[in-house]
Amino acid sequence: MPIHEKSLIRPENLKTHEELVIDGVDVSGHWSTFIESRVVSDYNEAMEDEIAALPGGENIHRCWQCGSCTNSCTVNAINPDFNPRYWIYLIRMGMEDELLRDKDIIWQCVSCNKCTYACPRDVFPEGVMKATAHWLERKGHTPKSPSMHFDEVFTEQVIKTGKIEESRTIRRFFSRTKQGLMQPWMIEMVKRLLRNLPVGLLTRMGLATFVAPKTRGWSSAAAAMQEYIDEQHEKQEQALSS
Amino acid sequence: MTKPILIVGGGPAGLAAAHSLGTVGRSSILVEKEDKLGGAPILSGYAKLVPSGEWAKDAIGGMVDRVEGDSNIKVLTGTTVTKFDGTPGNFTAEFSNGDNAQVEAAVLCSGFTHFDSINKPEWGFGTFPDVVTTTQVEQMISSGQGVRCPSDGRKPQRVAILLCVGSRDRQIGREWCSKICCTVSSNLAMEIREELPECHVYIYYMDIRTFGLYETKYYWRSQEEFKVKYIKARIAEVTSDGEKLIVKGEDTLVKRPITIPFDMVVHAIGMDPNVDNPQLADIFGVDLEEHGHIAAENRYGAMGHTSRPGVFVAGAATGPETIDDSIAQGHAAAMSVLSELHQPVDKSA
Ligand SMILES: Cc1cc2nc3c(=O)[nH]c(=O)nc-3n(C[C@H](O)[C@H](O)[C@H](O)COP(=O)(O)OP(=O)(O)OC[C@H]3O[C@@H](n4cnc5c(N)ncnc54)[C@H](O)[C@@H]3O)c2cc1C
Ligand code: SF4
Ligand code: SF4
Ligand code: SF4
């Protein structure tokens, strides 16, 4: 039977045999099309715990599926497939395959937190979106997002020197995200800086760029921060691998 | 000397009514068909009660002790009423033990009957030993045995609780909501998670009716502290693959069929009208309401009136009720009896 509603069915669930004869009747091609049923046949109980172990995901188990988050969501208004309520459900019930279908849009959350204010159960859906995006990355389902690269470059620099030197942050960020440094807006910005900033300030900035001075007595603070970060990381790794 | 008041049924409602009358010095005869008092919580061995958290044997047992120690109350266990005639203030009751008594009024506190899950064969009760009822789980907990699969005594890893078994189901002629089973189920789910932290508990629901203050203490708490999972689905059937129970249905939130393996399936059974109600209606000359419970009259003027003056009703005899409400109704019916006895003429005129 040809299926007229084919457009409503996910292509991978449509099965067609090029050559098929049943009881002597040739049903090759679209005559043999059938829809594979997508039965949920088990719950993966680890998934909720894994995402709950990442920052922001802690309260995911509170969700009662009211839909206020989706309804208030900035991104959902533009893309109806962006549905925090639905993803939270998939995670809670451990429907991993279903979640992975949407892996390329989950990171699009703009952190506006409209959902956070709408949620009657204090689930903190924005946090859950962040935790889910991190989970996808750490499980290798999605590449590192630009914002993750930025966070890393930023943190590395703070830990190393106790200071942020913007030009270094930008250069490293561009190099890790494989973007060329000589972007027109960049060139324009540097030109205007050179033209308009007082010489004293320019010299100090130049010095900072090339010498990368450290905050005095920074090393013990850096060690404490690094220890904390490692500790958290270790905890999360454990949760993700159990 | 004033004649006693007849109370039928020694559950929470009957115990409360007898106690109330006793406190104002009125005598009563408490007729209970089973061989001990306490009603469903004692006879069926409930564990910790909702919402007090007290063990049924302490809470309701305490009410039983109080009644048994009250010289105003004559307790007849293992007894039923076979005949009841007369007018308010002047009734004659005959008992199954052959005795009879003159009484001024009667209060029917005859309660409910647990739904028998055999009547929903598609959900596997009676076919698979690990399909049990909330009453059985209550007993596993109250006996100290703990929650175990009846088939081989193992600790379940995954439990499904199916709500509305024997309630809200026109297929089997039961349209009412049994009111307490959502709350009782959330409570049991938390008890299971407490005893067996490794065991995951899923509740399959159509609506969650943990009404009033039970919302925080049961629905929210079971999710927030105990991570019980609620799934909106009415289960189509429970089968077995020889090893695990297979729960089939539709997860309505994701529009997907589900066939999930479980170690144990619990039916949250509802409260049926007492199977004795047709006889009770006959003997006491009172009307039943459309579902088969004893019909309570307009409750704004006074609590607990039936269609017959001098005969009152309280508790789950009127429809699904909680213990707290059954007790309140027992006390209220006692009050109605007393006030009616002081103006019997208007009523019978
Ligand atoms: C699994 C389950 C768990 C529950 N847990 C809770 C809970 O935690 N908290 C809560 O508030 N509620 C709970 N309930 C509801 C609770 O059982 C009822 O609210 C309560 O039992 C009603 O009290 P009752 O006295 O009206 O009736 P019953 O407890 O049913 O007592 C009626 C008494 O009358 C007797 N009787 C019946 N017919 C006759 C007759 N013809 N002649 C003489 N005697 C008769 C019976 O033997 C019985 O002793 C639960 C119900 C179920 C099904
Ligand atoms: S924070 Fe993200 S999920 Fe929440 S409303 Fe904004 S875009 Fe949507
Ligand atoms: S608003 Fe909160 S409770 Fe409602 S669906 Fe979203 S996360 Fe869940
Ligand atoms: S209280 Fe809950 S489980 Fe019980 S009948 Fe009502 S809705 Fe169903």
Side-chain angles (χ1 to χ4, degrees), chain A residues 68 71 79 116 119 141 147 160 190 195 211 223 237 240:
Chain A
S68 304
N71 199 25
N79 177 4
T116 306
C119 175
H141 296 304
S147 73
K160 206 161 152 207
V190 173
R195 200 177 319 134
V211 181
E237 276 311 315
L240 293 194

Side-chain angles (χ1 to χ4, degrees), chain B residues 14 23 35 62 64 72-73 131 174-175 187 210 235 246 269-270 337:
Chain B
T23 56
D35 59 8
V64 171
N72 284 308
I73 306 168
V131 178
R174 287 161 173 85
E175 290 179 14
N187 189 41
T210 44
I235 294 313
I246 306 294
I269 50 166
V337 170

Side-chain angles (χ1 to χ4, degrees), chain B residues 163-164 167-168 176-182 207 209 268:
Chain B
L163 297 189
C164 304
S167 308
R168 309 176 66 207
W176 58 86
C177 163
S178 293
K179 217 171 182 176
I180 193 73
C181 15
C182 275
D207 301 280
R209 299 184 171 180

Side-chain angles (χ1 to χ4, degrees), chain A residues 151-177:
Chain A
D151 288 351
E152 282 178 1
V153 164
F154 192 95
T155 314
E156 279 163 19
Q157 213 187 346
V158 169
I159 296 218
K160 206 161 152 207
T161 64
K163 293 185 200 294
I164 287 296
E165 200 285 296
E166 285 89 347
S167 76
R168 183 171 291 113
T169 310
I170 288 186
R171 276 184 281 126
R172 292 204 177 144
F173 172 67
F174 278 1
S175 107
R176 288 200 198 169
T177 51

Side-chain angles (χ1 to χ4, degrees), chain A residues 10 37-45 48-49 52 58 61-65 85-86 89-93 95 98 120-121, chain B residues 157-158 200 202 204-205 215 219-221 223-225 227-232 251 253-262:
Chain A
R10 286 185 172 151
S37 89
R38 295 183 302 124
V39 178
V40 179
S41 58
D42 208 351
Y43 297 132
N44 168 6
E45 274 134 359
E48 179 184 50
D49 291 343
E58 298 87 349
H61 63 284
R62 293 181 174 180
C63 175
W64 63 10
Q65 292 293 302
R85 192 272 313 153
Y86 176 61
Y89 192 77
L90 299 179
I91 294 164
R92 293 209 61 210
M93 297 309 149
M95 300 182 191
E98 282 299 292
R121 289 290 289 269
Chain B
Q157 304 264 304
R158 202 188 262 169
H200 294 271
Y202 294 81
Y204 290 93
Y205 68 95
E215 181 78 358
Y219 187 35
W220 288 46
R221 188 157 168 259
Q223 291 176 74
E224 299 193 358
E225 281 180 44
K227 302 201 172 172
V228 174
K229 292 178 184 173
Y230 288 78
I231 300 174
K232 191 165 170 65
D251 185 323
L253 289 179
V254 291
K255 295 192 279 188
R256 294 276 298 277
I258 51 175
T259 62
I260 309 290
F262 280 96

Side-chain angles (χ1 to χ4, degrees), chain B residues 36-59:
Chain B
K36 61 179 174 189
L37 297 180
I42 295 293
L43 297 171
S44 296
Y46 294 171
K48 285 186 190 155
L49 296 182
V50 163
S52 65
E54 287 178 44
W55 290 93
K57 64 175 189 321
D58 299 332

Side-chain angles (χ1 to χ4, degrees), chain B residues 56-255:
Chain B
K57 64 175 189 321
D58 299 332
I60 310 301
M63 294 180 73
V64 171
D65 293 344
R66 197 170 63 176
V67 160
E68 285 174 340
D70 188 335
S71 58
N72 284 308
I73 306 168
K74 182 174 168 192
V75 176
L76 299 175
T77 50
T79 308
T80 54
V81 177
T82 50
K83 210 156 178 280
F84 185 81
D85 287 313
T87 52
N90 284 302
F91 290 112
T92 308
E94 286 178 20
F95 304 121
S96 56
N97 62 9
D99 287 351
N100 61 56
Q102 303 293 309
V103 297
E104 295 208 343
V107 189
L108 304 177
C109 301
S110 39
F112 70 101
T113 299
H114 290 93
F115 175 73
D116 185 350
S117 276
I118 286 285
N119 296 318
K120 283 303 275 186
E122 62 270 39
W123 290 335
F125 184 83
T127 311
F128 308 112
D130 294 338
V131 178
V132 297
T133 65
T134 35
T135 313
Q136 282 170 282
V137 176
E138 295 267 5
Q139 289 162 0
M140 291 179 195
I141 296 169
S142 65
S143 67
Q145 171 216 319
V147 179
R148 301 290 179 274
C149 296
S151 62
D152 57 2
R154 74 180 188 282
K155 292 179 179 170
Q157 304 264 304
R158 202 188 262 169
V159 173
I161 303 181
L162 317 187
L163 297 189
C164 304
V165 177
S167 308
R168 309 176 66 207
D169 188 347
R170 209 167 251 167
Q171 288 285 326
I172 48 170
R174 287 161 173 85
E175 290 179 14
W176 58 86
C177 163
S178 293
K179 217 171 182 176
I180 193 73
C181 15
C182 275
T183 312
V184 165
S185 299
S186 318
N187 189 41
L188 288 177
M190 291 191 281
E191 297 263 1
I192 295 172
R193 294 275 296 153
E194 188 146 47
E195 199 222 338
L196 308 170
E198 303 296 310
C199 175
H200 294 271
V201 183
Y202 294 81
I203 294 183
Y204 290 93
Y205 68 95
M206 296 191 288
D207 301 280
I208 293 292
R209 299 184 171 180
T210 44
F211 56 97
L213 302 183
Y214 298 166
E215 181 78 358
T216 317
K217 211 170 164 184
Y218 297 96
Y219 187 35
W220 288 46
R221 188 157 168 259
S222 64
Q223 291 176 74
E224 299 193 358
E225 281 180 44
F226 291 85
K227 302 201 172 172
V228 174
K229 292 178 184 173
Y230 288 78
I231 300 174
K232 191 165 170 65
R234 186 162 173 92
I235 294 313
E237 62 171 347
V238 177
T239 58
S240 169
D241 64 2
E243 218 172 284
K244 299 252 177 181
L245 297 166
I246 306 294
V247 169
K248 292 188 180 175
E250 190 209 9
D251 185 323
T252 57
L253 289 179
V254 291
K255 295 192 279 188

